[in-house]
């Protein structure tokens, strides 16, 4: 299968700290990739470089054959690469439903629909439904229907996390980057959340890269693992192979256990 | 989903004032017309405040609108009230468009003070420009409507009717705009600009658009004020004028496009009454009323109507 995303020779330094050192990774379409590594290993830097938040010092990132290295986050998003955040980034004063509507509004606007001069209710591209229906449907898919009219700032942590991920789904992403989707969530809830995300992803069809510290979650949901250590990828293989790798065991899995 | 009752409410208010205006004393017509002019400026400030931006210099565009209208009469003898208002709006919108490239980069106090600085530059320029009457300003030619000048007894009412119509249209358009995806982005920008960018929108672009709309509305209000009052001077760009607009914005609340006009009217009434009671300490009464509103109605006067006239 052809790679949908191809990172070649990415390097990034923050002063004396090396956040990325010769990162090479070709991500296949519709695959689910787990990114593991201790804090500061370079996972989020990798995501930030893909989304255009950080520019690599060297190296290129190609998406569907197109060089996206220099694009700004909003332009990367418009191409179909959406991300969620380790700490949910919501519109705190708006309800869950309104949060969705804002996101859908952006999708409408980028498609030139629903503007000042348009008549009637515009259909959201990719969903072919009016904005309100798309919002309801995605909230339902993530089990958030009961929180529809609650303000984002009063929602419990796990719910905020889900809403944060639900927000990425409005644009029908082709690549979904999830930064620690289950952090701050109880051990039992982790699998529930991941099941929900993966069900939504399967229904919509997207390639997924997710950062995760829980190796059980990784081995259950990822088809491939990229293990980061000190800004490098030290293992790139199927989970059972990668997690059995001595270097990964020493630097990543052991590191997580100690932490 | 609740039905949108704002257009109908606006139309009812328009009709009620058009009818009752014929029977009201002249001074109240003047009061309402000035309130409508200020309400237009505040309508623009409301759009910005919804993004979390407070412009401490909106008087800049109020003054530009007024001077554009005044100079059009002075230089070209134009007196048609609609022409003057269009000119005021266009001039302010244009300046807003240019300055917007700079101001849309800034947030919070930096945005506020930068807008204040620009307005004070205009004030300084006008004070030094003798051709425009420097600190005294100049008189604006009596305006006409479709080439006609109404009989003296009807001048105030005619200006009011025009102001009502213009405010009605402006409020309707802004209301519609606030319902578009770009309009709805306001509270999202206020809450979390990073997320806005990561959803594929440009916060800076959205703010620039809103800034131009606010500038054009302020210019429209300024031109209306110029034709209503019949005299303009640099005080219109002074920071206390900007402060008055912010005062009204906070008094009114940002809940609905009707709020700015309601706020401006209440402001005008309090000011007039307070001045009548105590010419030397009327500001105290004004300050006291704002204090009461902030303590008891933190979302402004509009919260009194919330629920019954939901936006």
């Amino acid at each position: 299968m052809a790679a949908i995303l191809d990172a070649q020779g990415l390097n990034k330094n923050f002063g004396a700290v090396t956040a990325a050192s010769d990162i090479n990774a070709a991500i296949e379409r519709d695959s689910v990739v787990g990114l593991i590594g201790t804090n500061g290993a370079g996972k989020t830097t990798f995501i930030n470089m893909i989304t255009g938040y950080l520019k690599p010092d060297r190296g290129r990132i190609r998406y569907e054959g197109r060089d996206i290295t220099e694009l700004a986050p909003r332009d990367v998003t418009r191409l179909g690469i959406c991300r969620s955040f380790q700490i949910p980034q919501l519109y705190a004063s708006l309800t869950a439903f309104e949060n969705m509507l804002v996101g859908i509004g952006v999708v409408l606007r980028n498609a030139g629909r629903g503007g000042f001069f348009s008549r009637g209710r515009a259909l959201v591209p990719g969903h072919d439904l009016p904005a309100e229906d798309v919002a309801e449907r995605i909230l339902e898919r993530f089990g958030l229907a009961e929180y529809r009219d609650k303000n984002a700032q009063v929602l419990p942590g796990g719910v905020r996390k889900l809403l944060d991920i639900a927000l990425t789904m409005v644009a029908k992403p082709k690549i979904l980057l999830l930064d620690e989707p289950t952090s701050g969530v109880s051990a039992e809830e982790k699998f529930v959340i991941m099941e929900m995300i993966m069900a939504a992803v399967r229904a919509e069809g997207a390639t997924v890269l997710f950062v995760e510290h829980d190796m059980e979650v990784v081995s259950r949901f990822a088809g491939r693992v990229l293990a980061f250590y000190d800004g490098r990828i030290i293992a790139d293989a199927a989970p059972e192979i990668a997690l059995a790798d001595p270097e990964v065991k020493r630097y990543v899995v052991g590191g997580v256990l100690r932490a | 989903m609740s039905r949108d009752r704002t257009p109908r409410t606006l139309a009812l208010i328009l009709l009620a004032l058009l009818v009752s205006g014929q029977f009201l004393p002249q001074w109240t017509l003047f009061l309402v017309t000035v309130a409508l002019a200020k309400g237009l400026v505040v309508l623009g400030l409301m759009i910005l405040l919804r993004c979390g931006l407070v412009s401490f210099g909106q008087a800049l565009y109020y003054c530009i609108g007024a001077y554009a209208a005044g100079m059009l009469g002075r230089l070209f003898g134009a007196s048609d009230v609609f022409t003057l208002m269009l000119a005021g709006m266009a001039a302010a919108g244009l300046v807003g468009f240019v300055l917007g490239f700079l101001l849309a980069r800034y947030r919070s106090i930096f945005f506020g003070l930068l807008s204040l600085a620009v307005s004070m530059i205009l004030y300084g320029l006008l004070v030094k420009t003798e051709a425009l009457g420097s600190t005294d300003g100049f008189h604006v030619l009596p305006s006409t409507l479709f080439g006609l000048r109404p009989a003296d007894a009807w001048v105030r009412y005619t200006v009011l009717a025009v102001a009502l119509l213009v405010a009605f249209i402006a409020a309707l358009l802004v209301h519609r705009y606030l319902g578009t995806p770009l309009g709805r982005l306001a509270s999202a920008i206020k809450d979390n600009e990073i997320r806005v960018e990561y959803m594929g929108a440009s916060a800076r672009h959205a703010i620039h658009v809103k800034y131009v709309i606010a500038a054009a509305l302020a210019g429209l209000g300024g031109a209306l004020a110029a034709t209503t009052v019949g005299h303009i001077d640099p005080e219109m760009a002074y920071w206390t004028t900007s402060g008055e607009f912010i005062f009204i914005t906070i008094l009114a609340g940002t809940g609905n496009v009707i709020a700015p006009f309601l706020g401006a009217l209440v402001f005008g009434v309090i000011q007039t009454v307070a001045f009548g009671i105590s010419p030397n300490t009327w500001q105290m009464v004004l300050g006291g009323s704002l204090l009461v509103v902030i303590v008891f109605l933190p979302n402004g006067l509009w919260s009194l109507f919330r629920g019954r006239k939901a936006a």
Side-chain angles (χ1 to χ4, degrees), chain B residues 30 33 37 65-66 69-70 78-85 140-144 149 155-156 159 162-163 220-232 236:
Chain B
F30 180 74
T33 312
S79 63
D80 180 70
V81 66
F82 285 110
T83 311
L84 297 183
M85 279 196 270
V140 179
L141 293 181
S143 51
T144 56
R149 176 84 187 155
V155 168
R156 287 249 179 272
V159 176
V162 168
L220 184 64
L224 178 60
T227 53
T228 309
V229 180
H231 182 266
I232 53 183
M236 293 182 95

Side-chain angles (χ1 to χ4, degrees), chain A residues 116, chain B residues 37 40-41 43-44 58 60-72 80-98 162-163 165-171 173-174 209-227:
Chain A
F116 190 85
Chain B
L40 284 167
V41 186
L43 187 62
Q58 211 60 4
L60 169 73
Y61 299 107
Y62 184 65
C63 185
I64 288 175
Y67 271 74
M71 282 160 69
L72 209 60
D80 180 70
V81 66
F82 285 110
T83 311
L84 297 183
M85 279 196 270
L86 271 180
M89 196 166 95
L94 196 69
V95 176
F97 174 72
V98 175
V162 168
L165 196 69
V166 168
F168 172 70
I169 294 170
L173 291 178
V174 169
V209 171
K210 287 166 202 291
Y211 189 74
V212 173
I213 294 175
L217 285 169
L220 184 64
L224 178 60
T227 53

Side-chain angles (χ1 to χ4, degrees), chain A residues 1-2 6 33 37 54 68 70 80 85 88 93 113 131 137 139 158 168 170 173 177 189 205 207 214 244:
Chain A
M1 253 196 300
D6 191 5
V33 180
L54 293 175
I68 60 163
E70 302 296 327
F85 295 83
S93 70
R113 300 186 193 178
R137 208 176 68 165
L139 284 177
T168 62
V170 299
L177 304 165
E189 273 184 303
T207 307
D214 187 321

Side-chain angles (χ1 to χ4, degrees), chain B:
Chain B
M1 258 176 63
S2 59
R3 258 188 70 229
D4 184 3
R5 290 156 75 185
T6 300
R8 203 187 59 186
T9 311
L10 275 172
L12 284 177
I13 296 173
L14 172 74
L15 273 179
L17 285 172
L18 277 178
V19 173
S20 61
Q22 303 181 37
F23 310 104
L24 290 170
Q26 293 279 321
W27 68 270
T28 55
L29 302 187
F30 180 74
L31 185 80
V32 175
T33 312
V34 171
L36 288 168
K38 289 179 178 170
L40 284 167
V41 186
V42 175
L43 187 62
L45 280 178
M46 177 184 108
I47 297 175
L48 291 174
L49 190 59
R50 280 190 175 197
C51 298
L53 296 172
V54 181
S55 163
F56 286 116
Q58 211 60 4
L60 169 73
Y61 299 107
Y62 184 65
C63 185
I64 288 175
Y67 271 74
M71 282 160 69
L72 209 60
R74 209 172 145 107
L75 299 176
F76 304 103
S79 63
D80 180 70
V81 66
F82 285 110
T83 311
L84 297 183
M85 279 196 270
L86 271 180
M89 196 166 95
L94 196 69
V95 176
F97 174 72
V98 175
L99 287 180
F101 285 103
L102 178 71
L103 279 147
R105 295 161 167 266
Y106 295 90
R107 304 290 178 269
S108 69
I109 193 72
F110 306 101
F111 176 85
L113 287 184
L114 199 56
S115 55
L116 173 73
V118 186
S119 73
M120 290 309 287
I121 291 175
L122 178 70
Y123 175 78
L125 284 175
L126 288 176
V127 165
K128 295 284 176 203
T129 310
E130 282 187 21
L132 294 174
S134 60
T135 48
D136 293 335
F138 59 90
H139 284 292
V140 179
L141 293 181
S143 51
T144 56
L145 183 64
F146 307 123
L148 297 172
R149 176 84 187 155
D152 278 353
W154 287 95
V155 168
R156 287 249 179 272
Y157 177 74
T158 313
V159 176
L160 172 70
V162 168
L164 279 169
L165 196 69
V166 168
F168 172 70
I169 294 170
L172 266 190
L173 291 178
V174 169
H175 180 65
R176 180 167 169 83
Y177 166 75
L178 290 175
T180 63
L182 192 65
R184 275 189 190 160
L185 217 49
S187 31
I189 290 172
K190 184 178 173 183
D191 277 357
N192 196 335
E193 215 174 292
I194 292 176
R195 189 71 199 224
V196 168
E197 294 282 331
Y198 269 107
M199 296 204 106
S202 163
R204 195 188 287 179
H205 172 76
I207 287 174
H208 197 165
V209 171
K210 287 166 202 291
Y211 189 74
V212 173
I213 294 175
L217 285 169
L220 184 64
L224 178 60
T227 53
T228 309
V229 180
H231 182 266
I232 53 183
D233 62 50
E235 283 286 315
M236 293 182 95
Y238 201 57
W239 65 268
T240 51
T241 312
S242 292
E244 196 176 295
F245 293 137
I246 295 172
F247 188 109
I248 300 172
T249 312
I250 304 299
L251 187 73
T254 59
N256 188 286
V257 291
I258 303 170
F261 299 101
L262 177 74
L265 188 64
V266 170
F267 176 86
V269 170
I270 297 176
Q271 197 180 29
T272 309
V273 171
F275 196 78
I277 297 170
S278 151
N280 294 322
T281 56
W282 63 273
Q283 290 99 332
M284 234 170 74
V285 180
L286 215 53
S289 7
L290 184 65
L291 212 63
V292 170
V293 168
I294 288 176
V295 171
F296 294 103
L297 299 168
N299 292 318
L301 289 172
W302 185 252
S303 36
L304 289 172
F305 298 88
R306 247 229 197 111
R308 281 197 291 136
K309 289 184 207 158

